[in-house]
Amino acid sequence: AQRVTQPEKLLSVFKGAPVELKCNYSYSGSPELFWYVQYSRQRLQLLLRHISRESIKGFTADLNKGETSFHLKKPFAQEEDSAMYYCALRALGTDKLIFGTGTRLQVFP
Amino acid sequence: DVKVTQSSRYLVKRTGEKVFLECVQDMDHENMFWYRQDPGLGLRLIYFSYDVKMKEKGDIPEGYSVSREKKERFSLILESASTNQTSMYLCASAGTAAHNEQFFGPGTRLTVL
């Protein structure tokens, strides 16, 4: 069965600290993986996708097929990074996304 | 700039009422989705549509139906609302190109009393 697991409901750090939001998936094929973010009072939006191998707002995520992980990382957290983060998987040949349960990141000053 | 709009931000209904949630997108996207968002449960897919008049059940379709009569509009219907359908409902749309992202509406917070 396809599944996305985000083990942390809440992650609290101080400004300037490194951040890692964990995401593990189960899928037998080659998935597409995404991170979506929802800032307070804003709509859910795409942060980054593994296929692009890009850094957005200082965040990066590397697909590790051996560990079936797609952790989101940022070396120095900022207060404006405080938001809800969702990891999502799309199986090959479908248009549907499977979302994890989300991790709320709080960055304190 | 893609725009996905939802008919209401907040809605309060009584148990047993029929409820319509509407979603409109202006980017000529083929795919449209309805999710519910609950704390600790993340986003769960209720239904999606890949073309006009075409629909497919998601993970939690019970108690819901959908309608897609026009490409830009996707409606979610609660035939007889129940208290356990109190939730945030998110609509999304996406094209069919490879690696396409989903664009989300602002959400409708539905309370069923």
Side-chain angles (χ1 to χ4, degrees):
Chain A
Q2 300 156 16
R3 177 179 281 185
V4 176
T5 302
Q6 294 180 251
E8 303 139 328
K9 286 188 177 180
L10 174 65
L11 186 63
S12 299
V13 300
F14 286 101
K15 177 182 171 182
V19 168
E20 182 178 67
L21 287 81
K22 291 184 167 46
C23 172
N24 289 90
Y25 66 90
S26 62
Y27 177 60
S28 56
S30 292
E32 283 189 81
L33 285 151
F34 304 82
W35 277 99
Y36 280 78
V37 61
Q38 189 170 29
Y39 301 101
S40 179
R41 297 190 187 87
Q42 294 187 28
R43 60 185 70 194
L44 194 64
Q45 59 186 286
L46 178 68
L47 179 63
L48 55 79
R49 67 195 92 188
H50 91 271
I51 200 76
S52 303
R53 302 185 66 83
E54 57 197 346
S55 173
I56 303 292
K57 299 184 178 183
F59 284 98
T60 58
D62 291 318
L63 178 60
N64 185 323
K65 291 186 178 180
E67 295 183 359
T68 59
S69 68
F70 188 56
H71 303 328
L72 184 67
K73 300 178 184 179
K74 185 169 182 176
F76 307 103
Q78 303 299 314
E79 289 179 69
E80 55 266 29
D81 296 328
S82 296
M84 193 73 178
Y85 292 81
Y86 292 96
C87 183
L89 174 153
R90 179 163 62 219
L92 193 65
T94 77
D95 291 307
K96 295 188 293 183
L97 289 177
I98 299 165
F99 284 87
T101 51
T103 298
R104 179 167 298 283
L105 174 64
Q106 290 182 331
V107 182
F108 295 109
Chain B
D1 196 26
V2 177
K3 195 164 185 183
V4 180
T5 57
Q6 296 183 228
S7 50
S8 307
R9 290 302 306 271
Y10 300 94
L11 210 52
V12 179
K13 295 292 181 181
R14 296 202 174 276
T15 301
E17 282 192 81
K18 191 168 186 176
V19 182
F20 292 89
L21 303 182
E22 296 210 322
C23 175
V24 178
Q25 51 95 3
D26 66 358
M27 281 300 293
D28 202 35
H29 283 164
E30 291 80 6
N31 297 316
M32 296 187 75
F33 307 83
W34 275 107
Y35 297 90
R36 61 178 285 176
Q37 183 183 31
D38 299 288
L41 297 176
L43 273 76
R44 292 179 292 166
L45 182 64
I46 304 171
Y47 267 98
F48 77 100
S49 169
Y50 49 91
D51 202 349
V52 174
K53 297 191 187 294
M54 307 302 286
K55 62 185 179 185
E56 197 168 312
K57 292 180 180 179
D59 300 317
I60 51 165
E62 297 79 19
Y64 303 94
S65 62
V66 290
S67 172
R68 185 132 181 238
E69 296 296 318
K70 293 185 178 181
K71 191 174 186 180
E72 67 271 18
R73 189 180 297 269
F74 191 35
S75 301
L76 180 69
I77 303 151
L78 287 66
E79 295 289 342
S80 177
S82 63
T83 55
N84 62 13
Q85 292 178 309
T86 292
S87 185
M88 173 68 85
Y89 289 88
L90 299 182
C91 174
S93 75
T96 54
H99 319 306
N100 55 297
E101 71 178 274
Q102 290 189 12
F103 294 89
F104 284 82
T108 295
R109 183 164 294 283
L110 172 67
T111 302
V112 182
L113 302 176

